[in-house]
Amino acid sequence: MPVLRIDHYNLRANSELLEILRHFYCDIVGLEMGVRPPLKSIGYWLYAGEKDVLHLSQTASDEIRESHVLTTFDHIAFSCDDFKSIESRLITKGITYKQSEVPSTGQIQLFFNDPAGNRIELNFAPPKT
């Protein structure tokens, strides 16, 4: 059975960081709160349009999250539009970001970190000339 696409990714955090991440991904990145099944855990499903793309889950009080685990995760990327609006939001909120352009395609990318240190990439179609 072939893989069709990435469905979603999940970030787990304590209750305080969970709320910080929820606000960040809604207010800064532009995802929207959406329907979440009545699961036993506390959490949120954040949507891009009609699709849930980020699940935020609260860690259980007795759950041990190892901080010394080596990971190769680098970033999550979102396709976006309205570059000026999003860049303005990052500047207004004091979020440090790096901008780059993909050679030969002209695609614009913005890179920054969420409050937990996860790297985010926002992709924009090349400016129309």
Side-chain angles (χ1 to χ4, degrees):
M1 181 182 322
V3 172
L4 301 176
R5 66 184 173 278
I6 292 175
D7 188 74
H8 69 274
Y9 71 112
N10 182 283
L11 298 177
R12 295 179 59 77
N14 63 38
S15 61
E16 181 181 347
L17 181 54
L18 190 73
E19 292 303 317
I20 292 169
L21 290 171
R22 178 176 67 91
H23 287 291
F24 182 87
Y25 278 93
C26 289
D27 299 342
I28 303 300
V29 177
L31 299 179
E32 297 180 351
M33 291 278 294
V35 175
R36 180 179 187 261
L39 303 170
K40 290 180 182 180
S41 63
I42 296 170
Y44 306 102
W45 282 13
L46 305 183
Y47 286 66
E50 299 290 319
K51 176 68 181 112
D52 57 298
V53 295
L54 172 55
H55 296 179
L56 298 174
S57 303
Q58 183 174 323
T59 53
S61 59
D62 62 346
E63 183 176 348
I64 298 172
R65 303 292 293 180
E66 297 185 39
S67 61
H68 67 280
V69 175
L70 179 63
T71 178
T72 57
F73 178 80
D74 185 68
H75 68 276
I76 185 72
F78 295 101
S79 296
C80 301
D81 59 14
D82 199 1
F83 173 84
K84 289 183 181 189
S85 173
I86 292 176
E87 183 182 41
S88 176
R89 187 179 319 140
L90 294 174
I91 291 168
T92 300
K93 298 289 187 176
I95 296 174
T96 303
Y97 66 93
K98 292 174 86 175
Q99 179 178 332
S100 66
E101 182 178 322
V102 178
S104 76
T105 69
Q107 180 181 20
I108 303 298
Q109 300 171 310
L110 297 178
F111 293 93
F112 54 96
N113 291 345
D114 75 11
N118 299 302
R119 194 164 170 209
I120 301 166
E121 173 186 327
L122 303 183
N123 291 301
F124 302 85
K128 295 179 180 167
T129 56

